[in-house]
Amino acid sequence: MPILSRPALVEHLVRTRIAGDVATPRDNNLSHYRKLANGDRHYWLGLELGDRWTDEQDVLAVMAERCGVVDDPAHRVGQDTIDPELTVDGLDRMAARLRKAAAGRERVLFATGHPGSLIDVHSRVAAALRAQGCDIVRIPGGLVADEGYVVQFADVAVFERGASLWHTHSPEPMNAILDALGEDGRPDLVIADHGWAGRAGQRGVDSVGYADCNDPALFIGEAEGTMQVTIPLDDHVLDPRFYEPMTAYTLHAAGLS
């Protein structure tokens, strides 16, 4: 796949609605910001936010700055946005962390709560890091969480229940992995999303996460320094192959092509 220039990647992100005018509606975003501010742990994505983010407008301000949603609190319904320039900025920060991981041949764990869209993104990055000598974590067998199983496909940890892979925001699958690995098997870096990424960062592991505009917690985590990097994007677009140019750009920027 040819490596897109930054302007060409921005255009691709907007055209495929990974960024720009995204599918997630404004009222859904604001509802999630409000629930986070009201202390609903489901929306904390494994982070411990205490009483630091009890004002919905403070959450909106962080999301406008770090994700690119509309910053006008009077805009309550309709279209909302992700700034594609902020997406590429996040990819560049991720690339720098990947470069460090490759140089140190670090131990890296991949996980996703969006197996229907992001598993291939994570798998391609895992393969590139393995080629540079990194140790890609193989999770222990038999792990359970949330009345289901924590399993691994193509180097990516996922949540399974009823013979299906599930979309999940829960941090409990990441808890199960880190508890089972123990201190001796602890990864140097986690690359994930949702509660998988947030809980890893909360437990002191370097964590890089992808996050949608209705998932404010990981952006707050980066603002507070708990997350290393949070990349804003629509985390489930029409075709998973739309993410391929973004992944290729990131690996090239990291020197891992």
Side-chain angles (χ1 to χ4, degrees), residues 8-236:
L9 179 60
V10 165
E11 190 277 332
H12 169 79
L13 296 174
V14 172
R15 186 179 68 254
T16 58
R17 301 187 75 185
I18 293 172
D21 289 343
V22 293
T24 309
R26 176 66 166 192
D27 58 305
N28 182 262
N29 286 342
L30 295 182
S31 172
H32 287 204
Y33 304 169
R34 185 179 313 111
K35 289 173 180 176
L36 180 146
N38 288 339
D40 187 332
R41 291 298 187 96
H42 176 78
Y43 297 92
W44 288 14
L45 300 182
L47 295 166
E48 293 298 332
L49 304 179
D51 59 0
R52 300 185 297 279
W53 297 92
T54 57
D55 188 334
E56 176 187 347
Q57 301 308 317
D58 291 340
V59 180
L60 175 59
V62 169
M63 293 302 292
E65 176 187 7
R66 293 180 174 267
C67 184
V69 302
V70 176
D71 62 0
D72 180 3
H75 178 49
R76 308 300 298 179
V77 296
Q79 183 67 57
D80 214 340
T81 57
I82 293 175
D83 185 341
E85 296 288 348
L86 294 179
T87 303
V88 181
D89 288 346
L91 296 174
D92 286 339
R93 294 196 303 278
M94 178 182 182
R97 186 61 186 85
L98 293 177
R99 196 178 306 116
K100 177 183 176 183
R105 297 189 173 184
E106 291 182 346
R107 182 167 165 79
V108 187
L109 170 65
F110 292 84
T112 186
H114 258 295
S117 54
L118 295 179
I119 193 167
D120 192 51
V121 173
H122 290 302
S123 181
R124 287 170 184 258
V125 177
L129 286 177
R130 176 180 281 113
Q132 296 296 315
C134 288
D135 178 12
I136 306 305
V137 173
R138 184 176 175 87
I139 70 170
L143 298 183
V144 295
D146 295 332
E147 301 180 348
Y149 296 94
V150 186
V151 296
Q152 196 166 30
F153 291 97
D155 292 321
V156 186
V158 293
F159 179 67
E160 179 188 40
R161 185 193 291 171
S164 297
L165 303 185
W166 280 52
H167 171 217
T168 178
H169 287 215
S170 173
E172 294 309 318
M174 181 56 72
N175 274 336
I177 294 173
L178 295 179
D179 289 345
L181 291 173
E183 286 302 314
D184 290 343
R186 181 184 178 93
D188 301 302
L189 174 64
V190 165
I191 300 174
D193 45 72
H194 287 176
W196 306 78
R199 182 49 54 90
Q202 187 64 47
R203 291 185 59 163
V205 180
D206 281 6
S207 183
V208 172
Y210 300 103
D212 209 329
C213 54
N214 63 353
D215 290 329
L218 297 190
F219 296 97
I220 288 173
E222 186 180 14
E224 293 193 329
T226 311
M227 293 289 301
Q228 293 280 303
V229 180
T230 299
I231 301 114
L233 48 69
D234 187 318
D235 54 16
H236 198 121

